[in-house]
Amino acid sequence: MSIHTQRVRTDQAAHVAVDQACRALRLPTIRAKFTELSEAAERDQMSPIGFLAELLMSECDDRNRRRSERRIKAAGFPRDKSLRKFDFTANPNIDPVMVQSLASCDWIRKSQPLCLIGDSGTGKSHLLIALGTEAAMAGFRVKYVLATKLVNELVEAADEKLLTKTIARYGRVDLLCIDELGYMELDRRGAELLFQVLTEREEKNSVAIASNESFGGWDNTFTDPRLCAAIVDRLTFGGNIIETGTDSYRLASTRARAAQQQGTASS
C-alpha cells in the first residue's frame, strides 16, 4: 500500500471521527465547515493552533447568530425594521447621533426608559422596532406589544386570576417595547393595570414606548389625571425622549412617487 493511499485512508478516518465528535458535542458549524476550513488551513500553511482557533471562532460566531435570531423571533416584532434602513434625511427632527448612541444599548443596561413621540408616519414605530432589534442582537431579552393588546391581556389575566403571573412575565424581559400608546382611550381599570406593569419594571428594566400623542394630550388616553401624571412620570424619569414631529415622511414619500408616476405617464 502506498504512503498516499495510507494517508487518504487516515484522512477519511479522521473526517469520520470529527463528524461523529461534532454530532456528540453538538457542534454543527464545525461539522459543516470542517472540510472547507481544513483545506484552507493546509493551503495557507496555518499552524495547528491557528486552525483550531478558526474552527472554534466559526462555531461561536454561528452560535451567536442563531441566538440573536431566536431572541428577535421571541420579541414578536410585527415586521423587520433596522436602523440601517432608516432614512434620517427624510425627517430632520430625528438626531442620528442620538439614535446611534441608543443603539449601543447603554440605556437598557441602566434600566432607563425611552419615549418616541410624534404623528403617524414620522418613523417612531420604525425606530422602536429597530432599537428593540439592536437590543435583541446585543443579548437582551426583548418583548414588543401593542398598548391595546397589552391592556386587553392584563384585563383577561385579572379576570382569570392570573394577573400576578402575567405582570411578572412582562417584568422579566430586559426591554419592553409598547407601541401605539395613545391611539385609544383607556378606562381606569386598564390604565391601572398598565401602571402596575410599569411599576414592576421601574428602575429594574427598561420600557420603550411609541405614542402619537404628546405628553400634554395623554389626558385623552388616561382619563384619570393622577394616574396619567404617575404614568408619565414612570416613562420619563431619567429617560430619553425623541420627538419625531408632525410631518409624515411616509405620506410625503407616497405623494412624491405618485407625482413621479404621473409625470412619467404624461411624458
Side-chain angles (χ1 to χ4, degrees):
M1 184 183 296
S2 68
I3 294 176
H4 175 72
T5 303
Q6 286 180 333
R7 182 181 177 186
V8 168
R9 290 187 176 180
T10 302
D11 286 349
Q12 287 174 342
H15 277 76
V16 170
V18 168
D19 185 86
Q20 292 175 342
C22 287
R23 289 175 186 271
L25 296 172
R26 297 181 181 178
L27 301 172
T29 304
I30 291 180
R31 178 172 170 262
K33 295 184 177 181
F34 178 76
T35 300
E36 173 191 341
L37 292 176
S38 64
E39 290 173 354
E42 187 173 2
R43 185 174 59 250
D44 298 338
Q45 297 184 328
M46 193 177 295
S47 67
I49 189 68
F51 175 46
L52 177 61
E54 283 290 323
L55 286 175
L56 295 177
M57 290 308 298
S58 179
E59 186 69 48
C60 288
D61 290 345
D62 207 36
R63 191 166 291 186
N64 288 334
R65 177 187 59 77
R66 293 195 301 269
R67 284 195 189 115
S68 292
E69 289 174 352
R70 286 196 297 269
R71 283 191 295 267
I72 291 171
K73 184 177 180 180
F77 298 119
R79 49 199 172 274
D80 179 28
K81 295 291 184 181
S82 67
L83 292 182
R84 182 174 52 83
K85 295 180 180 178
F86 190 84
D87 186 4
F88 287 98
T89 61
N91 190 342
N93 294 302
I94 301 173
D95 181 5
V97 175
M98 181 179 182
V99 173
Q100 291 301 328
S101 175
L102 291 170
S104 71
C105 300
D106 191 47
W107 60 286
I108 301 175
R109 296 183 187 92
K110 295 177 180 177
S111 304
Q112 296 174 341
L114 168 66
C115 295
L116 298 156
I117 309 294
D119 281 4
S120 296
T122 56
K124 59 187 184 300
S125 289
H126 186 141
L127 288 177
L128 182 70
I129 295 171
L131 289 171
T133 301
E134 291 290 330
M137 292 173 62
F140 294 101
R141 293 167 299 173
V142 182
K143 181 63 179 176
Y144 169 97
V145 66
L146 295 176
T148 50
K149 184 177 183 297
L150 174 58
V151 170
N152 289 338
E153 185 178 348
L154 292 170
V155 170
E156 290 177 8
D159 291 340
E160 297 172 7
K161 303 192 184 309
L162 295 171
L163 182 61
T164 301
K165 183 178 180 180
T166 303
I167 289 177
R169 175 160 51 83
Y170 277 107
R172 280 193 297 269
V173 295
D174 300 307
L175 173 62
L176 177 61
C177 299
I178 305 176
D179 203 357
E180 297 187 2
L181 185 64
Y183 279 81
M184 290 184 65
E185 179 182 315
L186 300 178
D187 60 20
R188 182 177 178 84
R189 188 187 185 201
E192 286 177 345
L193 292 172
L194 178 59
F195 180 69
Q196 287 186 50
V197 171
L198 300 178
T199 301
E200 174 72 15
R201 300 183 59 81
E202 187 179 16
E203 297 184 8
K204 292 189 294 185
N205 291 309
S206 291
V207 175
I209 65 101
S211 175
N212 65 317
E213 280 281 3
S214 63
F215 295 120
W218 279 25
D219 284 339
N220 298 321
T221 302
F222 306 102
T223 53
D224 184 298
R226 287 188 177 183
L227 195 55
C228 178
I231 288 174
V232 170
D233 180 68
R234 291 287 189 280
L235 291 172
T236 57
F237 181 71
N240 304 276
I241 300 173
I242 296 179
E243 296 186 37
T244 59
T246 58
D247 297 327
S248 171
Y249 72 79
R250 192 162 56 204
L251 178 60
S253 177
T254 301
R255 286 173 173 169
R257 283 197 303 271
Q260 185 178 17
Q261 290 171 356
Q262 186 177 5
T264 303
S266 60
S267 60

